[in-house]
Amino acid sequence: MIIAIILYFLLAFVLMGRLLLYGVRPTKTLAWLLAIFTVPVGGMLFYFILGRNRRKNKFYTLKKTKEISEYYANVEEYYSKLDNHKHSNIPKAIKEHIKLAKLITKGSKFLPSDGNELIPLKNGKANFKAIFSALEQAEKFIHIQYYIFEEGDLAETFKSILLRKAKEGVEIRFLYDALGSRTLSNSYINSLKAEGIEVYSFLPMKLGRLLSSINYRNHRKIVIVDGLVAFTGGINVSDKYISGDPVLGKWYDMHLQLKGTVVNSLQAVFTMDWSFASGTDHLLNTKYILKHATLGTSVAQIVASGPDSDFSSIQQLYFSIINNAKDYVYITNPYIIPGEALLQALQVAAMSGIDIRVLLSTNSDSFLVKWNVRSYFEDLLASGVKIYLYPDGFLHSKVIISDDALTSIGTANLDIRSFEQNYEVNALIYDKDITTALKNDFLKDCNKSSQMDYQQHLKRPKTDRLKEGLAKVFSPVL
């Protein structure tokens, strides 16, 4: 018993050293130190699951090949050009948002790309119709990555197309998150592998690394066909996107179809995740990279971040859009748990006269999340942020639009999990027409919704306040 206690405190002091070396915020570091030294076993266990700073202790660093070194050199060269934003090769839309473009280039390492065709896909039917059409036309390769891939009618359609394309000689790689797609059966996976399709899970739930990996999930959704067309956004593979949810009703979400050079950035995101999951770097071959082609008029920039990336790039993206808005910021997101920095940004913007609106569903797919989100309503409403509750079904979209100029569509929620613990990817669109169209859709949805009243909200029952407080306590694990 004495030996066990001595070993426990030795390990506790080792963890204390790690916290002091790699801790992020003093308050968070102090909280973990108190938990480790005052809650026997449990405090240390929770630290292993939730507490480690993955930005300092990376899961994975991509091998620095010649191609990657050359790419990073191009990123630095472009970043230097952005300092002189009168440079002729910089698109006008980028010049108008030079600070934001520089931020993403530096933080996420992806360059802005012009001459793209971008099509927002506003529901599940439109999304899967477009994806299946693209898959049917594949000639060289198909890369698929999902957080949730549930068996059902949609999954069967995916399988039938993929098996047929594999027989035609198309290279197919299939990546899924081990926790999000935990219901995916071995029989489904083996049926793909039997036809030569490469299949890997991201951070599989193995006993030896379960504590270190279970809280860090790959929330990205990416489909790439021949390097010519790609898809990303909030839509997973689940039949509820077509037939609805038995409890919540209609399930709304937003996805994006991309054609043009911007597809290369999504291919790079897939490559990094595939390399980590498979242990190979063969996707760095230039045959998976599209040469510059002008297919449309839109400028876009991919923003990716994860628990082991250098910066919280998507949080910085959201923060920058809110901080630099001149007229409005409209947000559609189901999980708004902003943390101190983004809460302050939203409040400061609203109090400065910027029209800040938040649209989310009346109902939620999680009791804890619902009340955690609602715990921020009072502070937001007090500062002038307008909150609209959509009554029909569940809004799962992750969209931010601003000033008839900028649109962000992607996988990242507005919460700490997406900023710090999940692998996420967003597309930032510098396009007036797309933003204006989505703004009109947003305002129509607001008209269908009920706007919250601050004074009325103050009168909510104490039981609601208690639920909010309890939910906030559990926010680190949401």
Side-chain angles (χ1 to χ4, degrees):
M1 182 66 178
I2 295 175
I3 294 175
I5 293 173
I6 293 172
L7 289 174
Y8 180 87
F9 277 99
L10 284 174
L11 181 56
F13 279 108
V14 170
L15 294 181
M16 182 178 71
R18 291 177 61 87
L19 279 164
L20 294 175
L21 285 170
Y22 303 122
V24 181
R25 294 184 298 275
T27 52
K28 191 173 182 180
T29 298
L30 179 60
W32 280 118
L33 287 173
L34 288 172
I36 290 169
F37 281 100
T38 61
V39 183
V41 183
M44 196 175 292
L45 181 65
F46 273 106
Y47 170 76
F48 277 114
I49 298 173
L50 303 172
R52 284 185 284 182
N53 183 358
R54 287 297 175 191
R55 297 202 189 285
K56 301 294 184 182
N57 305 279
K58 295 178 181 293
F59 277 118
Y60 172 69
T61 301
L62 193 64
K63 182 181 175 182
K64 287 293 182 68
T65 63
K66 177 183 176 182
E67 292 88 347
I68 291 176
S69 296
E70 289 176 351
Y71 176 79
Y72 282 162
N74 289 336
V75 170
E76 291 302 320
E77 181 183 353
Y78 191 90
Y79 186 82
S80 297
K81 289 179 180 178
L82 290 176
D83 281 330
N84 177 15
H85 54 270
K86 294 180 181 179
H87 198 286
S88 59
N89 291 336
I90 298 175
K92 180 182 177 183
I94 295 299
K95 292 179 181 179
E96 293 173 351
H97 300 91
I98 201 77
K99 288 169 59 179
L100 182 57
K102 287 181 68 174
L103 173 71
I104 296 169
T105 300
K106 192 72 171 180
S108 202
K109 304 299 184 187
F110 290 117
L111 302 175
S113 168
D114 61 340
N116 301 291
E117 179 188 85
L118 307 174
I119 302 175
L121 302 168
K122 301 176 183 178
N123 56 62
K125 289 182 179 179
N127 172 65
F128 289 111
K129 180 180 178 181
I131 289 177
F132 293 149
S133 176
L135 295 177
E136 292 282 9
Q137 298 174 55
E139 297 179 353
K140 298 176 182 178
F141 67 88
I142 294 171
H143 294 157
I144 294 177
Q145 174 177 355
Y146 278 100
Y147 173 63
I148 295 175
F149 197 98
E150 289 181 354
E151 291 180 60
D153 292 340
L154 286 173
E156 287 301 311
T157 303
F158 265 100
K159 183 167 72 172
S160 65
I161 296 174
L162 295 180
L163 294 180
R164 188 170 358 104
K165 285 296 173 179
K167 291 177 181 177
E168 294 174 8
V170 175
E171 296 179 19
I172 302 175
R173 296 174 181 87
F174 183 97
L175 181 63
Y176 64 94
D177 183 81
L179 181 63
S181 300
R182 60 191 177 278
T183 61
L184 192 59
S185 67
N186 288 332
S187 61
Y188 188 97
I189 294 167
N190 291 335
S191 67
L192 299 179
K193 290 182 176 180
E195 291 299 330
I197 296 172
E198 295 184 76
V199 182
Y200 285 93
S201 64
F202 194 91
L203 286 176
M205 315 248 271
K206 295 180 180 178
L207 187 61
R209 62 186 304 179
L210 185 63
L211 292 182
S212 65
S213 64
I214 191 171
N215 197 44
Y216 303 96
R217 307 318 314 171
N218 198 312
H219 198 239
R220 294 168 179 157
K221 299 95 180 171
I222 298 173
V223 175
I224 303 168
V225 178
D226 291 345
L228 299 173
V229 58
F231 301 85
T232 193
I235 299 180
N236 291 290
V237 175
S238 171
D239 286 351
K240 63 190 174 189
Y241 285 101
I242 305 299
S243 56
D245 183 89
V247 176
L248 296 175
K250 296 178 182 177
W251 197 281
Y252 300 99
D253 214 328
M254 180 76 73
H255 226 62
L256 183 68
Q257 176 182 289
L258 309 94
K259 292 183 179 180
T261 315
V262 70
V263 173
N264 290 337
S265 296
L266 278 176
Q267 174 62 29
V269 176
F270 181 88
T271 294
M272 288 186 284
D273 288 346
W274 183 262
S275 297
F276 174 57
S278 68
T280 66
D281 288 316
H282 60 271
L283 290 191
L284 295 172
N285 192 305
T286 55
K287 73 177 183 179
Y288 301 105
I289 302 299
L290 175 73
K291 293 183 179 179
H292 187 83
T294 301
L295 300 176
T297 59
S298 295
V299 179
Q301 194 170 12
I302 296 302
V303 192
S305 67
D308 56 0
S309 54
D310 292 334
F311 301 97
S312 181
S313 299
I314 292 179
Q315 183 179 24
Q316 291 176 343
L317 164 68
Y318 290 171
F319 188 87
S320 183
I321 290 175
I322 295 165
N323 264 7
N324 294 305
K326 294 180 175 64
D327 297 313
Y328 73 86
V329 178
Y330 295 160
I331 300 170
T332 305
N333 202 295
Y335 311 124
I336 299 176
I337 307 172
E340 292 180 15
L342 275 177
L343 177 62
Q344 285 288 336
L346 289 166
Q347 289 179 309
V348 168
M351 294 170 70
S352 301
I354 308 300
D355 184 13
I356 306 291
R357 302 191 188 196
V358 172
L359 175 67
L360 67 164
S361 299
T362 302
N363 298 313
S364 176
D365 59 340
S366 167
F367 176 86
L368 281 177
V369 170
K370 173 182 177 179
W371 290 103
N372 202 336
V373 169
R374 285 177 173 264
S375 71
Y376 289 92
F377 283 1
E378 184 171 327
D379 289 337
L380 291 171
L381 290 168
S383 63
V385 174
K386 302 179 182 73
I387 300 175
Y388 295 84
L389 299 179
Y390 192 79
D392 179 25
F394 184 61
L395 293 175
H396 192 254
S397 304
K398 300 97 168 54
V399 180
I400 295 182
I401 54 179
S402 178
D403 292 350
D404 291 353
L406 297 171
T407 296
S408 171
I409 298 175
T411 68
N413 295 304
L414 211 149
D415 63 6
I416 298 301
R417 170 162 290 281
S418 282
F419 300 150
E420 301 289 344
Q421 297 163 350
N422 285 346
Y423 292 84
E424 306 279 6
V425 63
N426 280 31
L428 177 62
I429 305 167
Y430 303 83
D431 189 288
K432 179 179 180 179
D433 292 339
I434 291 175
T435 304
T436 302
L438 292 177
K439 170 190 173 182
N440 293 333
D441 290 341
F442 180 92
L443 293 174
K444 288 178 183 177
D445 286 337
C446 286
N447 289 334
K448 299 176 185 176
S449 306
S450 58
Q451 182 178 355
M452 296 193 68
D453 179 81
Y454 174 57
Q455 294 300 328
Q456 190 64 36
H457 185 65
L458 291 177
K459 300 175 183 177
R460 66 194 185 281
K462 288 184 179 180
T463 52
D464 286 0
R465 292 179 181 271
L466 182 61
K467 292 173 187 176
E468 292 168 9
L470 288 172
K472 223 167 189 178
V473 170
F474 289 96
S475 60
V477 299
L478 293 178

